[in-house]
Amino acid sequence: MIVLNQVSKSYGGKIKAVDQIDLTVENGEIFGFLGPNGAGKTTTIKMITGILTPDSGAITLNGIDLGKDPLQAKKTFGYVPDDPNVFPRLKAMEYLQFMGNLYNVPSELRAGRIEEMAARFELKDALGDRIQSFSHGMRQKLMIIGALLHHPDVWILDEPMTGLDPRSSYQLKEMMRQHADSGRTVFFSTHVLDVAERVCDRVAVIDRGKILFCGTIAAMRNHFQSSDSLESMFLELVDRDPEKAAGLDGDLE
């Protein structure tokens, strides 16, 4: 479970990248976080993961206050960033062993999880190769395996399907559904609205640092009295006058 309470962040100017947002992501759901470029998605995710510190507000992960007990809170989640370019000179297996050590995953358990996920993402034959030789998609698969190696309760995925081939994308969506159905939490951002429409239990739309909508796709359609795609409703939301859009969140829940 993820809870954000009146969270704000600015980068030195008067305009806030994230402006007093409230958000609750429940256990047992896949939650999609949507917004145009520069809307505040990645800033929000970096605050949830502790990479950035909010200017104000509080964030809790599975009931643990990130500001008060950051190490304990960080043990509860696995994070896949939007840029998979890390430790290029390590071999893939060396990177996974590093992640296993970081999260104190027992050796025998670690080996089984690496084998299972590497097979699922068709990466077994490349585990002995250096990451610098990997394509973007291969690096993305490796980041996913590393982030999920300690079997975290909360998955935080920033554009996780970018660069994935169709088979791997399908595998990841299946894993997300299984994880949520087991009573855990999946929070992911995406620009691929068709994916969000198919897999998410709920979505939030953020623009100009404010949450414009939070709820089910059915609730969004009911508000707009529309049977149109998520894409058309999303565009209608973010194209609204910002003063009008900022007050829609409560109406759309």
Side-chain angles (χ1 to χ4, degrees):
M1 187 174 184
I2 303 170
V3 179
L4 282 72
N5 182 22
Q6 291 289 287
V7 171
S8 294
K9 182 70 178 179
S10 61
Y11 294 106
K14 292 183 179 180
I15 298 175
K16 293 181 178 179
V18 174
D19 190 0
Q20 293 186 312
I21 65 172
D22 293 309
L23 197 62
T24 298
V25 183
E26 302 286 354
N27 293 330
E29 71 175 350
I30 299 175
F31 190 95
F33 198 46
L34 316 177
N37 290 334
K41 297 192 307 298
T42 295
T43 296
T44 301
I45 288 173
K46 286 184 175 180
M47 288 190 289
I48 294 172
T49 54
I51 296 171
L52 294 175
T53 302
D55 296 336
S56 59
I59 299 171
T60 61
L61 296 155
N62 279 2
I64 303 168
D65 189 313
L66 181 62
K68 295 178 180 178
D69 196 352
L71 287 179
Q72 196 62 33
K74 289 176 183 180
K75 290 178 182 179
T76 68
F77 67 78
Y79 169 51
V80 177
D82 59 345
D83 182 0
N85 296 314
V86 296
F87 304 120
R89 295 192 179 185
L90 287 182
K91 294 179 180 179
M93 182 59 82
E94 291 173 338
Y95 172 74
L96 294 177
Q97 295 292 359
F98 166 74
M99 293 298 289
N101 291 336
L102 186 66
Y103 286 101
N104 296 315
V105 182
S107 297
E108 63 280 4
L109 193 58
R110 181 188 313 180
R113 288 178 180 170
I114 290 173
E115 183 175 2
E116 189 271 329
M117 286 193 284
R120 198 160 190 171
F121 287 110
E122 299 181 322
L123 209 61
K124 285 183 69 173
D125 294 338
L127 292 180
D129 298 338
R130 295 194 185 279
I131 298 173
Q132 64 189 3
S133 70
F134 281 18
S135 68
H136 185 280
M138 292 173 71
R139 294 183 189 200
Q140 188 73 359
K141 295 177 191 179
L142 185 65
M143 296 302 104
I144 292 168
I145 295 170
L148 306 184
L149 191 56
H150 63 297
H151 198 54
D153 285 343
V154 178
W155 292 6
I156 303 171
L157 316 175
D158 195 357
E159 299 287 349
M161 294 167 200
T162 301
L164 292 185
D165 56 84
R167 183 186 295 275
S168 296
S169 181
Y170 173 81
Q171 289 291 340
L172 179 57
K173 285 182 282 187
E174 287 290 294
M175 292 169 66
M176 290 163 63
R177 185 73 269 164
Q178 291 166 5
H179 191 70
D181 287 348
S182 70
R184 297 177 175 88
T185 303
V186 178
F187 178 97
F188 82 108
S189 72
T190 182
H191 281 111
V192 186
L193 299 182
D194 287 346
V195 171
E197 190 166 16
R198 288 196 303 271
V199 307
C200 292
D201 300 301
R202 289 193 304 140
V203 300
V205 178
I206 186 172
D207 191 29
R208 302 176 182 92
K210 292 183 178 290
I211 300 293
L212 306 184
F213 168 79
C214 183
T216 64
I217 305 299
M220 188 186 289
R221 286 201 175 99
N222 183 61
H223 176 85
F224 286 108
Q225 298 183 342
S226 170
S227 60
D228 290 343
S229 67
L230 175 59
E231 181 179 39
S232 63
M233 292 185 288
F234 170 84
L235 291 173
E236 184 172 347
L237 267 175
V238 299
D239 286 343
R240 288 173 182 262
D241 181 272
E243 292 299 322
K244 294 178 181 179
L248 282 175
D249 186 29
D251 297 333
L252 288 171
E253 291 258 18

